[in-house]
Amino acid sequence: KPVLFSGMQPSADSLHLGNFVGALSNWVPMQEDHTAIYCVVDQHAITVPFEPASLLERTRVTAAQYIAAGIDPERSILFVQSAVPAHAQLQWVLSTITGFGEASRMTQFKDKSQRYGTDTTTVGLFTYPVLMAADILLYQAASVPVGEDQRQHIELTRNLAERFNSRFGTTFVVPEPHIMKETAKVYDLQNPTAKMSKSAESDAGLLRLLDDEKVTRKKIMRAVTDADGEIRFDREAKPGVSNLLTIASVLSGSTIDDVAAQYAGGGYGDLKKGLAELVESTFAPIRERTNELLADPAELDRILARGAERANELAVSTLDQVYERVGFPKPI
Ligand code: TYM
């Protein structure tokens, strides 16, 4: 079976709809025909200001949401990045074949460093994409299911894999991004030309998996639309309505055209009400199961420790090859 790798940062108390639609909802069916490896990337989460007191809890909450959404820790490998030392070890080697200019061109780095300013922007934030490349290449992953915002990082990963292979001998599988076209980007409900993101200025456009039903419904009912009153998909002219239609289409499994036809003739209020129900019927079981899992943190930690053992075995075998090719002694 082809290997798949993906991960999310434990940087909030809940995953949001963008994470679910752009990534997690695709991860679940892909377990069927892949050796699937899903990681909670806590080493990435410390590249921006964070609270040590809440990081471990957020790591558990993130892992619990993976399982609650349908990731099966028996069939797939589910683990926390910092528990497997090879990620940081391979990152070091890859950082020495990454161009400074190449890393400087990463748009996510440019955005984030602008947001935080030069004093808060760290070298860790700069080398973030190299750690991400290490995550993927360690497992010889062929496929990486992510949202559109990660495309450039995967392009860098491919370049590093090819560069290493040609300089030191074929070692890595060159991975392909797996980005679902329509669902690749979920937009902010208040600002529907910007991606839905936990770091948006206002919270009103962000739907969290673990939020209360009432909070989520209110945000959907207040979503920004437009004045023409017509329910139709047009990303340019009608970004708000198009975003609502896309989300409804993904969550219902119907095409965007079918959703638009279903609500055509009605007002935006009906579309929003229907969407609120769909979102709740998707989120409610995930929320419930997440809370059950969090009620037994020791069991959750056991699941993650077992996942880390399995991941470590695969990772060490790649790292050993890398060390040998570079001319390092075999690590202990
Ligand atoms: P992160 O934690 O920001 O986001 C996790 C996943 O959610 C997707 N996503 C979205 N998809 C659609 N619409 C949105 N508004 C939206 N917001 C987020 C992201 O594309 C991502 O798939 N660098 C990664 C984490 C990472 C990783 C990896 C991913 C580290 N190592 C190796 C894959 C493979 C990140 O910050 O994701």
Side-chain angles (χ1 to χ4, degrees), residues 49 109-122 125:
F109 171 73
K110 288 197 266 188
D111 291 349
K112 286 190 189 174
S113 56
Q114 218 168 41
R115 188 173 337 128
Y116 291 110
T118 36
D119 289 340
T120 315
T121 297
T122 64
L125 186 66

Side-chain angles (χ1 to χ4, degrees), residues 31-52:
Q31 296 177 105
E32 300 289 336
D33 47 4
H34 291 82
T35 298
I37 307 175
Y38 296 118
C39 187
V40 180
V41 293
D42 57 347
Q43 288 173 314
H44 279 112
I46 68 168
T47 57
V48 293
F50 74 105
E51 267 313 315

Side-chain angles (χ1 to χ4, degrees), residues 8-15 24 39-41 55-68 78 210 290 294 300:
M8 298 201 199
Q9 301 188 66
S11 47
D13 296 326
S14 169
L15 296 179
L24 192 51
C39 187
V40 180
V41 293
L55 182 61
L56 191 55
E57 189 49 32
R58 287 176 166 185
T59 294
R60 286 201 189 100
V61 173
T62 303
Q65 288 171 96
Y66 286 9
I67 300 172
L78 168 58
L210 303 183
T290 300
L294 291 174
L300 195 55

Side-chain angles (χ1 to χ4, degrees), residues 94 97 158-174 325:
L94 294 177
I97 62 163
R158 291 170 54 82
N159 291 337
L160 295 180
E162 279 164 1
R163 196 172 302 153
F164 188 96
N165 286 349
S166 76
R167 198 167 299 174
F168 298 100
T170 302
T171 308
F172 297 122
V173 169
V174 181
R325 302 239 148 102

